[in-house]
Coordinates of all heavy atoms in Angstrom, one line a residue:
F1 N 0.8 -1.2 0.0 CA 0.0 0.0 0.0 C 0.9 1.3 0.0 O 0.7 2.2 -0.8 CB -0.9 0.0 1.2 CG -1.7 1.2 1.5 CD1 -2.9 1.5 0.8 CD2 -1.2 2.2 2.3 CE1 -3.6 2.6 1.0 CE2 -1.9 3.4 2.5 CZ -3.1 3.6 1.9
K2 N 1.9 1.3 0.9 CA 2.7 2.5 1.0 C 3.5 2.7 -0.3 O 3.7 3.8 -0.8 CB 3.7 2.3 2.1 CG 3.1 2.5 3.5 CD 4.1 2.5 4.6 CE 4.9 1.2 4.7 NZ 5.9 1.2 5.7
R3 N 4.0 1.6 -0.9 CA 4.8 1.7 -2.1 C 3.9 2.2 -3.3 O 4.3 3.1 -4.0 CB 5.3 0.3 -2.5 CG 6.3 0.2 -3.7 CD 7.1 -1.0 -3.6 NE 6.4 -2.2 -3.7 CZ 6.3 -3.1 -2.6 NH1 6.8 -2.8 -1.5 NH2 5.6 -4.2 -2.8
E4 N 2.7 1.7 -3.4 CA 1.8 2.2 -4.5 C 1.4 3.6 -4.3 O 1.3 4.4 -5.2 CB 0.6 1.3 -4.6 CG 0.8 -0.1 -5.0 CD 1.5 -0.2 -6.4 OE1 1.3 0.7 -7.2 OE2 2.3 -1.1 -6.6
L5 N 1.1 4.0 -3.0 CA 0.8 5.4 -2.7 C 1.9 6.3 -3.1 O 1.7 7.4 -3.6 CB 0.4 5.6 -1.3 CG -0.2 6.9 -0.9 CD1 -1.5 7.2 -1.6 CD2 -0.5 7.0 0.7
H6 N 3.2 5.9 -2.7 CA 4.3 6.7 -3.1 C 4.5 6.9 -4.6 O 4.7 8.0 -5.1 CB 5.6 6.1 -2.5 CG 6.8 6.8 -2.9 ND1 7.2 8.0 -2.4 CD2 7.8 6.4 -3.8 CE1 8.4 8.4 -2.9 NE2 8.7 7.4 -3.8
L7 N 4.3 5.8 -5.3 CA 4.4 5.9 -6.8 C 3.3 6.8 -7.4 O 3.6 7.6 -8.3 CB 4.3 4.5 -7.4 CG 5.5 3.6 -7.2 CD1 5.2 2.2 -7.7 CD2 6.8 4.1 -7.9
H8 N 2.1 6.7 -6.8 CA 1.0 7.5 -7.3 C 1.2 8.9 -7.1 O 1.0 9.8 -8.0 CB -0.3 7.0 -6.6 CG -1.5 7.5 -7.2 ND1 -2.2 7.0 -8.3 CD2 -2.3 8.5 -6.7 CE1 -3.3 7.7 -8.5 NE2 -3.4 8.6 -7.6
H9 N 1.5 9.3 -5.8 CA 1.7 10.7 -5.5 C 2.9 11.3 -6.2 O 2.9 12.5 -6.6 CB 1.8 10.9 -4.0 CG 0.5 10.8 -3.3 ND1 0.3 10.8 -1.9 CD2 -0.8 10.6 -3.8 CE1 -1.0 10.8 -1.7 NE2 -1.6 10.6 -2.8
T10 N 4.0 10.5 -6.3 CA 5.2 11.0 -7.0 C 4.9 11.3 -8.5 O 5.3 12.3 -9.0 CB 6.4 10.0 -6.9 OG1 6.7 9.8 -5.5 CG2 7.6 10.5 -7.6
A11 N 4.1 10.4 -9.1 CA 3.8 10.7 -10.5 C 2.9 11.9 -10.6 O 3.1 12.7 -11.6 CB 3.0 9.5 -11.0
E12 N 2.0 12.2 -9.7 CA 1.2 13.4 -9.8 C 2.1 14.6 -9.6 O 2.0 15.6 -10.3 CB 0.1 13.3 -8.7 CG -1.0 12.3 -9.1 CD -2.0 12.1 -8.0 OE1 -1.7 12.6 -6.8 OE2 -3.1 11.6 -8.3
D13 N 2.9 14.6 -8.6 CA 3.7 15.8 -8.2 C 4.8 16.1 -9.3 O 5.2 17.2 -9.5 CB 4.4 15.6 -6.8 CG 3.4 15.6 -5.7 OD1 2.3 16.1 -5.9 OD2 3.7 15.1 -4.6
E14 N 5.3 15.0 -9.9 CA 6.5 15.3 -10.8 C 6.1 15.2 -12.3 O 6.7 15.8 -13.1 CB 7.6 14.2 -10.6 CG 8.2 14.3 -9.2 CD 9.3 13.3 -9.0 OE1 9.5 12.5 -9.9 OE2 9.9 13.3 -7.9
L15 N 5.0 14.5 -12.7 CA 4.7 14.3 -14.1 C 3.3 14.9 -14.5 O 3.1 15.1 -15.7 CB 4.7 12.8 -14.4 CG 6.1 12.1 -14.2 CD1 5.9 10.6 -14.5 CD2 7.1 12.8 -15.1
I16 N 2.4 15.0 -13.5 CA 1.0 15.5 -13.9 C 0.8 16.9 -13.6 O 0.5 17.7 -14.5 CB 0.0 14.6 -13.3 CG1 0.2 13.1 -13.7 CG2 -1.4 15.1 -13.7 CD1 -0.8 12.1 -13.1
W17 N 0.9 17.3 -12.3 CA 0.6 18.7 -12.0 C 1.5 19.7 -12.7 O 1.0 20.7 -13.1 CB 0.6 18.9 -10.4 CG -0.1 17.9 -9.6 CD1 0.2 17.4 -8.4 CD2 -1.4 17.3 -9.8 NE1 -0.7 16.6 -7.9 CE2 -1.8 16.5 -8.8 CE3 -2.4 17.4 -10.9 CZ2 -3.0 15.8 -8.7 CZ3 -3.5 16.7 -10.8 CH2 -3.8 15.9 -9.7
P18 N 2.8 19.4 -12.8 CA 3.7 20.3 -13.5 C 3.3 20.5 -15.0 O 3.5 21.6 -15.5 CB 5.1 19.7 -13.4 CG 5.0 18.9 -12.2 CD 3.6 18.3 -12.2
V19 N 2.7 19.5 -15.6 CA 2.2 19.7 -17.0 C 1.0 20.5 -17.1 O 0.8 21.3 -18.0 CB 2.0 18.3 -17.6 CG1 1.3 18.4 -19.0 CG2 3.2 17.5 -17.7
L20 N 0.1 20.4 -16.0 CA -1.1 21.2 -16.0 C -0.9 22.6 -15.7 O -1.6 23.5 -16.2 CB -2.1 20.6 -15.0 CG -2.5 19.1 -15.2 CD1 -3.6 18.8 -14.2 CD2 -3.1 18.9 -16.6
R21 N 0.1 22.9 -14.8 CA 0.3 24.3 -14.3 C 0.4 25.3 -15.4 O -0.3 26.3 -15.3 CB 1.4 24.3 -13.3 CG 1.4 25.6 -12.4 CD 2.4 25.4 -11.3 NE 1.7 24.7 -10.1 CZ 2.0 23.5 -9.8 NH1 3.0 22.8 -10.4 NH2 1.4 22.9 -8.7
P22 N 1.3 25.2 -16.3 CA 1.4 26.2 -17.4 C 0.2 26.3 -18.2 O -0.1 27.4 -18.7 CB 2.7 25.8 -18.2 CG 2.9 24.4 -17.9 CD 2.4 24.2 -16.5
R23 N -0.5 25.2 -18.4 CA -1.7 25.3 -19.3 C -2.8 26.0 -18.6 O -3.7 26.6 -19.2 CB -2.2 23.9 -19.6 CG -1.2 23.0 -20.3 CD -1.1 23.4 -21.8 NE -0.2 22.5 -22.6 CZ -0.6 21.4 -23.2 NH1 -1.9 21.0 -23.2 NH2 0.3 20.7 -23.9
L24 N -2.8 26.0 -17.2 CA -3.9 26.6 -16.5 C -3.4 27.9 -15.7 O -4.1 28.3 -14.8 CB -4.4 25.6 -15.5 CG -4.9 24.3 -16.1 CD1 -5.2 23.2 -15.0 CD2 -6.2 24.6 -16.8
A25 N -2.3 28.5 -16.2 CA -1.8 29.6 -15.5 C -2.7 30.8 -15.5 O -2.6 31.7 -14.6 CB -0.5 30.0 -16.1
H26 N -3.7 30.9 -16.4 CA -4.6 32.0 -16.4 C -5.7 31.8 -15.3 O -6.5 32.8 -15.1 CB -5.3 32.0 -17.8 CG -6.1 30.7 -18.1 ND1 -5.5 29.5 -18.4 CD2 -7.4 30.4 -18.0 CE1 -6.4 28.6 -18.6 NE2 -7.6 29.1 -18.3
S27 N -5.8 30.7 -14.6 CA -6.9 30.4 -13.7 C -6.3 30.3 -12.3 O -5.7 29.4 -11.9 CB -7.6 29.2 -14.1 OG -8.5 28.8 -13.0
E28 N -6.6 31.3 -11.5 CA -6.2 31.3 -10.1 C -6.8 30.1 -9.3 O -6.2 29.5 -8.5 CB -6.5 32.6 -9.3 CG -5.7 33.8 -9.8 CD -5.9 35.0 -9.0 OE1 -6.6 34.9 -8.0 OE2 -5.5 36.1 -9.4
A29 N -8.1 29.8 -9.7 CA -8.8 28.7 -9.0 C -8.1 27.4 -9.3 O -7.9 26.6 -8.4 CB -10.2 28.7 -9.5
A30 N -7.7 27.2 -10.6 CA -7.1 25.9 -11.0 C -5.7 25.8 -10.3 O -5.4 24.7 -9.8 CB -6.9 25.8 -12.5
L31 N -4.9 26.9 -10.3 CA -3.6 26.8 -9.6 C -3.8 26.6 -8.1 O -2.9 25.9 -7.5 CB -2.9 28.1 -9.9 CG -2.5 28.4 -11.3 CD1 -1.8 29.8 -11.4 CD2 -1.6 27.3 -11.9
S32 N -4.8 27.1 -7.5 CA -5.1 26.9 -6.1 C -5.4 25.4 -5.8 O -4.9 24.8 -4.8 CB -6.2 27.7 -5.6 OG -6.6 27.4 -4.3
V33 N -6.1 24.8 -6.7 CA -6.4 23.3 -6.6 C -5.1 22.5 -6.7 O -4.9 21.6 -5.9 CB -7.4 22.9 -7.7 CG1 -7.5 21.3 -7.7 CG2 -8.8 23.4 -7.4
L34 N -4.2 22.8 -7.7 CA -3.0 22.1 -7.8 C -2.1 22.3 -6.6 O -1.5 21.3 -6.1 CB -2.3 22.6 -9.1 CG -3.0 22.3 -10.4 CD1 -2.2 22.8 -11.6 CD2 -3.3 20.8 -10.6
A35 N -2.1 23.5 -6.0 CA -1.3 23.7 -4.8 C -1.8 22.9 -3.7 O -1.1 22.3 -2.9 CB -1.3 25.2 -4.5
A36 N -3.2 22.8 -3.6 CA -3.8 22.0 -2.5 C -3.5 20.5 -2.7 O -3.3 19.8 -1.7 CB -5.3 22.2 -2.5
M37 N -3.4 20.0 -3.9 CA -3.1 18.6 -4.1 C -1.7 18.3 -3.5 O -1.6 17.3 -2.8 CB -3.2 18.3 -5.6 CG -4.5 18.4 -6.3 SD -5.8 17.2 -5.6 CE -6.7 18.3 -4.6
E38 N -0.8 19.1 -3.8 CA 0.6 18.9 -3.3 C 0.7 19.0 -1.8 O 1.3 18.2 -1.2 CB 1.6 19.8 -4.0 CG 1.7 19.6 -5.5 CD 2.6 20.6 -6.2 OE1 2.8 21.7 -5.7 OE2 3.2 20.2 -7.3
A39 N 0.0 20.0 -1.3 CA 0.0 20.2 0.2 C -0.7 19.0 0.9 O -0.2 18.5 1.9 CB -0.8 21.5 0.5
E40 N -1.7 18.4 0.3 CA -2.4 17.3 0.9 C -1.5 16.1 0.9 O -1.5 15.2 1.8 CB -3.7 17.0 0.3 CG -4.8 18.1 0.6 CD -6.0 18.0 -0.3 OE1 -6.2 17.0 -1.0 OE2 -6.8 19.0 -0.3
H41 N -0.7 15.9 -0.2 CA 0.3 14.8 -0.2 C 1.3 14.9 1.0 O 1.6 13.9 1.6 CB 1.1 14.9 -1.5 CG 0.3 14.4 -2.7 ND1 0.8 14.4 -4.0 CD2 -1.0 14.0 -2.8 CE1 -0.1 14.0 -4.9 NE2 -1.2 13.8 -4.2
E42 N 1.7 16.1 1.2 CA 2.7 16.3 2.3 C 2.1 16.0 3.7 O 2.8 15.5 4.6 CB 3.2 17.7 2.3 CG 4.1 18.0 1.1 CD 4.6 19.5 1.1 OE1 4.2 20.2 2.0 OE2 5.3 19.8 0.1
Q43 N 0.8 16.3 3.8 CA 0.1 16.0 5.1 C -0.1 14.5 5.4 O -0.2 14.1 6.5 CB -1.3 16.7 5.1 CG -1.2 18.2 5.1 CD -2.5 18.9 4.8 OE1 -3.5 18.2 4.6 NE2 -2.5 20.2 4.8

């Protein structure tokens, strides 16, 4: 479980959210969601 969660969150933080961020730079709401996703991973 821990191994799969680490792989899943790492993929999101390194490969998914960074791809979305420049595409959604015009939307403060979208950027806020992406920041929240990363913060929740850390929690």
Side-chain angles (χ1 to χ4, degrees):
F1 172 86
K2 289 187 295 180
R3 188 157 61 248
E4 294 301 332
L5 188 62
H6 173 72
L7 289 174
H8 188 82
H9 283 178
T10 299
E12 290 176 341
D13 290 341
E14 296 183 358
L15 299 177
I16 299 178
W17 309 144
V19 173
L20 299 186
R21 192 167 278 110
R23 299 286 183 92
L24 301 168
H26 61 283
S27 171
E28 290 186 10
L31 295 179
S32 176
V33 168
L34 296 178
M37 295 298 101
E38 293 177 335
E40 289 169 13
H41 288 179
E42 293 179 359
Q43 292 167 3

